[in-house]
Amino acid sequence: MQEIAIIGIGQTSVGEHWEQSLRQLAGDAIVAALLDANRGSVDGIFVGNMLSGILNSQESLGTLVADWAGLRNIEAVKVEAACGSGAAALRLAIMAVGSGELDSALALGVEKMTETKGPETTAALAEAADADYETPHGLSFVALNALVMQRYLYEFGWQHTDFAPFSINAHANALNNPYARLHEAITLRDYQRARMVAEPINLLDASPIGDGAAAVLIVPADQIRKNGRGRPLVTIAGAAAATDTLAIHDRRDVIWLAAAEISAQRAYAQAGVKPRDIDIFEVHDAFSIMSALSLEASGFCERGQAPRLGLDGDILPGGRIPICTKGGLKARGHPVGATGIYQIVEVVQQLRGEAGDTQVPDARLGMAQNIGGSGATIITHILRVK
Amino acid sequence: MQEIAIIGIGQTSVGEHWEQSLRQLAGDAIVAALLDANRGSVDGIFVGNMLSGILNSQESLGTLVADWAGLRNIEAVKVEAACGSGAAALRLAIMAVGSGELDSALALGVEKMTETKGPETTAALAEAADADYETPHGLSFVALNALVMQRYLYEFGWQHTDFAPFSINAHANALNNPYARLHEAITLRDYQRARMVAEPINLLDASPIGDGAAAVLIVPADQIRKNGRGRPLVTIAGAAAATDTLAIHDRRDVIWLAAAEISAQRAYAQAGVKPRDIDIFEVHDAFSIMSALSLEASGFCERGQAPRLGLDGDILPGGRIPICTKGGLKARGHPVGATGIYQIVEVVQQLRGEAGDTQVPDARLGMAQNIGGSGATIITHILRVK
């Protein structure tokens, strides 16, 4: 497959956008990405979204977005992989350009969650779980993750408070991100005193939902090299997706993300790198336990040892493996189908050297991992700047 | 892009499958396609589906289906383009294999519509239209198509009864298809006396919904040529997708399917053929008016003249351009997200010479056109057998 470059990025802030509809959020991110790339059009658009049918009474979302953005008649489709929808859309856009079927493509993630025409948002989010064997028992998504975290604490002997650094780091980094939902530093004491949601997950373990959209524009890398631009050229070094059982109870090991391991190993092989070569890692910290499981399955530490990375400061912007450098899901916010593209936008910002106060020095290789369901669908992308 | 072959097809019957869940229908079609290809596994699965989130309270559908089918850890994603979801899934599967990212892929279409955990099915289907500018006025999907048909009758001077041959042909052909929902021949008198749904669309202009699943397995054609099989080799000669405005009132011309014209012309160019070379055409006859508009925009007759093709018998299995050879949406049934794959399965049956009583003699080139929304997303595939 030919090498792909990301030449444009765009995002809206994450928040409660009462004044903006689903299509308006999407349009704003698309226009921003096209402007960033200095382009007026694109051949196709791949829209990552989970909940438009349920919460916004709107399907045909790919076509609606293309239409609204004035990109009439282009190819367009919506892609759904629960909270992994964003990265899934990028993965398909890469295949579209990589196959030569399209000369350029936009991967967009968009979600509008803070008002609903349908069921309550927590009920809608539970559709990422198994509708026959999990949700009928009354398990919400946070409850499923609480069971996983409980098991992890029991198995490896950590205390809940040992997870605090993940949330503290995310909140601190978001202060530097104007697009983040939460701009509020938190302390260890805040974390320890936060209201319980589903034991052991408290409010500061969990990411907030939100409305938002983010977009990236991709083209064959050769096209850009020929035209020679001044800006650092960010390319896709690795891209892979894998799945696990949808229901957690079907897994041999509920505290190991097999799909993260498989997709990360494939992406490393494509890029010809090892975990130690990765300069930043945007993890899918929907809950703090997911940060730990992602770091372990992706090979950044031994099984059961991820909290140590937090306690030792390894995950800070100046640390060994900086994560959530713009706030992560925890503080940038988690507009579910858009999150995977926000992660990619943030990695590109780092690799271009445009990450502001949380810039990781000399970042050359960045990784993003987007998770749908409780580890059910995991997509890993590795980006490189030369 | 490398040439792609369809080496396996599978389908369930279309009907009210009260005894089978969404995942069971999907699994049955997948197993049938794998058995037909004599394979035990596949690298990835692309699931076309519109309504699982709304009607079945289930997202993460790609992963659920892979998990249920025992294809653990493979890449999987759901694709939504309203009633065009099935062909959209095939289009992406083709890109996945064509780019070399996957060595084999299943394109699955699945829908379970006859029981709902959410809103009434007609309300759910309206999500294919514009949720801000069409559906709030109380327009259902059949009402939108009725406006289009009304305008067509006015503009070109046809009578409603002139559309009867489309429905009569579909019902006649379905008698030969054990997977069809309706096995009941209809007469001109039946058509004329059918109950009105939304004037001028009556019950025999409209396709019935249903539960069902269909799947096709694709691989690089070279892989099959090397292994040399006795069966005729069906390849993808052309594949293209285009969009139009989502809302009908935004179009310059409400009785011309611009996205059909664009996608068909691209597919013809890829295949190096003209409309007159096509031996069979599976049209998206969700309503009889859509058969007419598809035939015109795809170049099979002059604008405004499609009813003539029906009246002259050109659309019959022995005619100039046979359509709906296994019953079409009208009589095979329209499980919306699955329909696009049913069409492909039926074209493959024709090209292999396995179409039974409605076999089109010497069929070498077959075309399928799948439509999402009221002409909003249109995907055209051309298949060839050598």
Side-chain angles (χ1 to χ4, degrees):
Chain A
M1 195 176 76
Q2 60 183 324
E3 195 180 14
I4 308 285
I6 298 179
I7 62 164
I9 57 175
Q11 59 185 322
T12 72
S13 63
V14 178
E16 296 195 23
H17 290 292
W18 289 84
E19 76 295 353
Q20 279 196 296
S21 68
L22 185 67
R23 72 186 76 191
Q24 288 173 317
L25 291 166
D28 287 359
I30 290 170
V31 168
L34 288 171
L35 283 174
D36 183 56
N38 197 26
R39 296 222 173 186
S41 68
V42 66
D43 285 355
I45 182 159
F46 298 78
V47 179
N49 171 275
M50 177 183 173
L51 299 170
S52 75
I54 308 162
L55 296 184
N56 316 117
S57 297
Q58 182 70 69
E59 291 293 356
S60 282
L61 191 64
T63 300
L64 172 66
V65 162
D67 178 8
W68 175 255
L71 300 165
R72 196 162 290 182
N73 299 137
I74 69 165
E75 179 158 6
V77 72
K78 166 177 158 174
V79 179
E80 186 276 324
C83 304
S85 300
L90 175 59
R91 170 97 176 119
L92 296 179
I94 290 170
M95 288 170 170
V97 175
S99 67
E101 285 289 292
L102 302 181
D103 288 330
S104 62
L106 268 163
L108 170 81
V110 61
E111 205 75 68
K112 185 158 177 66
M113 308 174 71
T114 63
E115 56 184 326
T116 170
K117 295 182 184 176
E120 194 244 328
T121 305
T122 300
L125 284 169
E127 298 200 0
D130 192 311
D132 288 351
Y133 295 100
E134 289 183 322
T135 39
H137 300 288
L139 278 166
S140 70
F141 215 70
V142 57
L144 281 165
N145 280 273
L147 292 172
V148 171
M149 189 172 188
Q150 193 72 275
R151 184 75 201 176
Y152 186 95
L153 296 178
Y154 169 82
E155 201 73 44
F156 300 114
W158 296 101
Q159 300 299 311
H160 174 260
T161 196
D162 296 325
F163 283 75
F166 292 117
S167 301
I168 294 169
N169 171 61
H171 276 264
N173 293 344
L175 292 174
N176 163 57
N177 181 1
Y179 300 99
R181 173 151 195 189
L182 305 178
H183 293 108
E184 194 184 351
I186 61 166
T187 63
L188 177 60
R189 190 175 157 82
D190 293 331
Y191 180 82
Q192 288 167 331
R193 292 164 57 109
R195 194 154 49 82
M196 192 55 69
V197 181
E199 200 178 346
I201 292 179
N202 72 26
L203 202 62
L204 290 180
D205 286 303
S207 58
I209 64 163
D211 308 327
V216 298
L217 179 63
I218 63 170
V219 297
D222 281 351
Q223 202 184 99
I224 298 307
R225 286 207 190 85
K226 275 181 211 146
N227 301 333
R229 296 199 42 171
R231 206 158 61 178
L233 182 64
V234 176
T235 59
I236 311 281
T243 56
D244 203 338
T245 65
L246 187 62
I248 290 178
H249 62 249
D250 276 337
R251 299 191 192 149
R252 289 198 192 99
D253 184 344
V254 300
I255 51 172
W256 183 255
L257 296 179
E261 181 183 15
I262 295 168
S263 67
Q265 289 299 329
R266 271 192 212 140
Y268 293 141
Q270 288 172 21
V273 302
K274 302 276 181 198
R276 65 170 175 272
D277 301 317
I278 301 295
D279 298 309
I280 61 155
F281 182 21
E282 290 301 331
V283 301
H284 189 94
D285 58 327
F287 302 99
S288 54
I289 179 65
M290 295 306 280
S291 296
L293 297 184
S294 251
L295 285 161
E296 292 176 12
S298 303
F300 290 99
C301 63
E302 292 298 307
R303 179 178 162 87
Q305 295 308 307
R308 173 63 44 210
L309 295 177
L311 295 168
D312 289 351
D314 289 334
I315 62 170
L316 301 175
R320 187 158 65 83
I321 180 65
I323 67 171
C324 305
T325 64
K326 306 292 280 186
L329 282 62
K330 178 68 199 80
R332 176 235 300 124
H334 184 28
V336 291
T339 288
I341 304 293
Y342 274 99
Q343 293 178 312
I344 298 293
V345 165
E346 291 158 2
V347 171
V348 171
Q349 289 178 315
Q350 286 283 357
L351 297 183
R352 284 182 181 171
E354 299 171 356
D357 286 345
T358 53
Q359 177 68 48
V360 172
D362 296 320
R364 320 294 292 178
L365 270 177
M367 186 157 112
Q369 194 169 74
N370 192 197
I371 303 182
S374 304
T377 317
I378 305 190
I379 301 121
T380 305
H381 285 99
I382 297 176
L383 311 187
R384 174 183 278 140
V385 69
K386 281 170 187 165
Chain B
M1 194 177 76
Q2 60 182 324
E3 195 181 13
I4 308 285
I6 298 179
I7 62 164
I9 56 175
Q11 59 185 322
T12 71
S13 62
V14 178
E16 296 197 20
H17 290 293
W18 290 84
E19 76 295 353
Q20 279 196 296
S21 68
L22 185 67
R23 72 186 76 192
Q24 287 172 317
L25 290 166
D28 286 359
I30 290 170
V31 168
L34 288 171
L35 283 174
D36 184 54
N38 196 26
R39 295 222 175 188
S41 69
V42 65
D43 284 355
I45 181 158
F46 298 79
V47 179
N49 171 275
M50 178 183 173
L51 299 170
S52 75
I54 308 163
L55 296 184
N56 316 118
S57 297
Q58 181 71 70
E59 291 293 356
S60 281
L61 191 63
T63 300
L64 172 66
V65 162
D67 178 8
W68 176 255
L71 301 165
R72 195 162 290 183
N73 299 136
I74 68 165
E75 179 157 6
V77 73
K78 166 176 159 175
V79 179
E80 187 276 325
C83 304
S85 301
L90 175 59
R91 170 98 176 117
L92 295 178
I94 290 169
M95 289 169 169
V97 175
S99 67
E101 285 289 292
L102 301 181
D103 288 331
S104 62
L106 269 163
L108 170 81
V110 61
E111 205 76 68
K112 184 155 177 68
M113 308 174 70
T114 63
E115 56 184 325
T116 170
K117 295 183 184 174
E120 193 245 328
T121 306
T122 300
L125 284 169
E127 298 200 1
D130 192 310
D132 287 351
Y133 296 100
E134 290 184 321
T135 39
H137 301 287
L139 279 166
S140 70
F141 214 69
V142 58
L144 281 165
N145 280 272
L147 292 172
V148 172
M149 190 172 189
Q150 194 72 274
R151 184 75 201 175
Y152 186 93
L153 295 177
Y154 169 81
E155 202 73 45
F156 300 115
W158 295 101
Q159 300 299 309
H160 173 260
T161 195
D162 296 326
F163 282 76
F166 293 118
S167 301
I168 294 169
N169 172 61
H171 276 264
N173 293 343
L175 292 174
N176 163 56
N177 182 1
Y179 300 100
R181 173 153 195 188
L182 304 177
H183 293 107
E184 192 182 353
I186 61 166
T187 64
L188 176 59
R189 190 175 157 80
D190 292 332
Y191 179 81
Q192 288 166 332
R193 292 162 58 108
R195 194 154 49 81
M196 191 56 67
V197 181
E199 200 179 346
I201 292 178
N202 72 26
L203 201 62
L204 290 180
D205 286 304
S207 58
I209 64 163
D211 308 328
V216 297
L217 179 63
I218 63 170
V219 297
D222 280 352
Q223 200 185 101
I224 298 306
R225 287 209 189 83
K226 275 182 211 144
N227 301 334
R229 299 197 43 169
R231 206 158 59 178
L233 182 64
V234 177
T235 59
I236 311 282
T243 57
D244 202 338
T245 65
L246 187 62
I248 290 178
H249 61 249
D250 275 337
R251 297 189 194 151
R252 288 198 194 100
D253 185 344
V254 300
I255 51 174
W256 183 256
L257 297 179
E261 182 184 14
I262 295 168
S263 67
Q265 289 299 330
R266 269 191 215 143
Y268 292 141
Q270 288 171 19
V273 302
K274 302 276 182 199
R276 66 169 175 273
D277 301 317
I278 302 295
D279 298 309
I280 61 155
F281 182 22
E282 291 301 331
V283 301
H284 189 92
D285 58 328
F287 302 99
S288 54
I289 179 66
M290 294 307 280
S291 295
L293 297 184
S294 251
L295 284 161
E296 292 175 13
S298 303
F300 290 99
C301 62
E302 292 298 308
R303 178 177 162 87
Q305 296 307 308
R308 174 62 46 210
L309 295 177
L311 295 167
D312 289 351
D314 288 336
I315 62 170
L316 301 175
R320 187 158 66 83
I321 181 65
I323 68 171
C324 305
T325 64
K326 305 293 279 185
L329 283 62
K330 178 68 198 80
R332 177 236 298 125
H334 184 28
V336 292
T339 287
I341 303 293
Y342 275 99
Q343 293 178 310
I344 298 293
V345 165
E346 291 158 2
V347 172
V348 172
Q349 288 177 315
Q350 285 283 356
L351 297 183
R352 283 182 182 172
E354 300 172 354
D357 287 346
T358 54
Q359 177 68 47
V360 171
D362 295 320
R364 321 292 293 178
L365 268 178
M367 185 157 114
Q369 194 168 73
N370 191 198
I371 303 182
S374 304
T377 317
I378 305 190
I379 301 119
T380 305
H381 285 99
I382 298 177
L383 311 187
R384 175 183 276 140
V385 70
K386 283 171 186 164

